[in-house]
Amino acid sequence: MVFAAGSIWWMEHERKKKDDFLAHLWPDTKWVASKFPVYFILGGALGKINLDGTDLHFIYEGESPIEQFIFSPDGKFILIVTKAELVLYDRKRHKIRTIDFLGPLVKEHKAKGNFRAIQWAPNSRGFCYELYRWSPYSSQDQFYFYSLKDQQKRRIKMFARGVLSLFWDKGAENLYYSQTETLPGSHPQPRHKVKIYRIPLASLEARLTVSFPSKSEVLKDSDLKPLGIDPYWQE
């Protein structure tokens, strides 16, 4: 009888501990396996470790500090952005390929630069990025497309400056960017003119596709889909 009472007390004690634990979890908590790999930056190295602390190793080690790393949509590749280079890591073959570098002037601290506006294609067969360099005397920015199939980068021909980023369509056939200007005499409620430029992968040359008035400077899906553009926004 004492044994049964003790068992009931222990079961109730354990249930209460479990309820207390669950009460402290966020509603959007996601459970993962203990062997789930986590990637992390340590200076100029990109490391990998399982959540249970096993299988710690570094998949990339370089001289320059790593600023960020970006997985391809299919998870097979990682773009590693350092203060000097843009590097591609093939997770299946465990191979490293240098895509681009900022150049000797940046390395010698005579100029500054970075890689930005990196966008993977939805099909993971390539990506675009901007190489931006500047000094007290001049600045230079250029967008490129890199094809994993050809293993080559190609310059994107754009005639507009100040483009912050490009975006893909879901078919991975075109890149796009927008430019917005405020129409004169539209105060106190400003109206804007939005221009959409399309960049086909076949030519990599930007062409004005459409322009339209808008109450907002922010481009939304509802603006693009009536134009036949199905955008892909990378998370």
Side-chain angles (χ1 to χ4, degrees):
M1 190 75 178
V2 174
F3 175 76
S7 298
I8 293 172
W9 177 88
W10 179 254
M11 291 170 61
E12 181 63 20
H13 174 71
E14 289 298 300
R15 185 193 65 77
K16 187 176 185 303
K17 278 173 55 180
K18 181 179 179 182
D19 290 345
D20 290 344
F21 170 71
L22 294 175
H24 286 83
L25 293 179
W26 290 96
D28 58 351
T29 297
K30 301 293 189 298
W31 293 96
V32 296
S34 61
K35 297 292 183 182
F36 186 84
V38 176
Y39 293 79
F40 62 93
I41 296 171
L42 185 63
L46 181 62
K48 175 187 174 185
I49 188 172
N50 290 334
L51 282 178
D52 62 4
T54 61
D55 195 27
L56 169 63
H57 63 280
F58 291 94
I59 63 175
Y60 170 81
E61 295 181 82
E63 296 179 2
S64 299
I66 296 175
E67 296 185 325
Q68 63 173 319
F69 58 95
I70 307 168
F71 283 85
S72 61
D74 62 8
K76 295 180 180 179
F77 299 91
I78 305 176
L79 277 172
I80 304 169
V81 184
T82 79
K83 289 186 176 294
E85 297 178 318
L86 179 62
V87 177
L88 180 68
Y89 174 66
D90 186 328
R91 296 180 66 196
K92 182 178 180 180
R93 298 178 174 85
H94 305 290
K95 289 185 177 181
I96 294 286
R97 177 183 296 274
T98 300
I99 304 300
D100 211 337
F101 60 95
L102 292 175
L105 290 179
V106 174
K107 189 174 183 179
E108 296 167 7
H109 304 288
K110 295 179 180 179
K112 296 182 179 181
N114 57 30
F115 297 100
R116 60 188 189 181
I118 299 169
Q119 297 288 336
W120 276 100
N123 56 14
S124 300
R125 295 177 184 174
F127 53 87
C128 64
Y129 65 95
E130 182 186 11
L131 191 159
Y132 181 48
R133 287 185 285 241
W134 71 94
S135 72
Y137 313 104
S138 64
S139 65
Q140 177 188 17
D141 64 290
Q142 179 60 56
F143 280 88
Y144 293 93
F145 167 72
Y146 184 86
S147 167
L148 268 64
K149 180 180 179 181
D150 302 333
Q151 296 185 355
Q152 291 183 352
K153 71 171 186 178
R154 295 159 56 198
R155 187 171 71 90
I156 297 176
K157 302 168 188 174
M158 297 167 53
F159 307 104
R161 297 186 63 85
V163 177
L164 298 179
S165 184
L166 308 178
F167 65 91
W168 291 87
D169 59 19
K170 289 183 179 178
E173 296 178 351
N174 302 281
L175 285 159
Y176 294 87
Y177 69 91
S178 66
Q179 288 193 312
T180 304
E181 60 182 77
T182 303
L183 298 175
S186 57
H187 298 286
Q189 293 189 358
R191 289 187 62 83
H192 309 280
K193 184 177 183 180
V194 179
K195 296 179 180 179
I196 306 293
Y197 293 82
R198 183 171 71 95
I199 307 170
L201 286 191
S203 65
L204 288 181
E205 184 171 348
R207 297 182 182 277
L208 178 63
T209 299
V210 68
S211 63
F212 55 90
S214 174
K215 294 181 180 180
S216 173
E217 293 182 281
V218 180
L219 197 61
K220 303 181 292 293
D221 283 11
S222 57
D223 297 321
L224 297 170
K225 290 188 176 180
L227 304 174
I229 302 173
D230 195 7
Y232 169 76
W233 308 110
Q234 187 168 343
E235 297 179 359

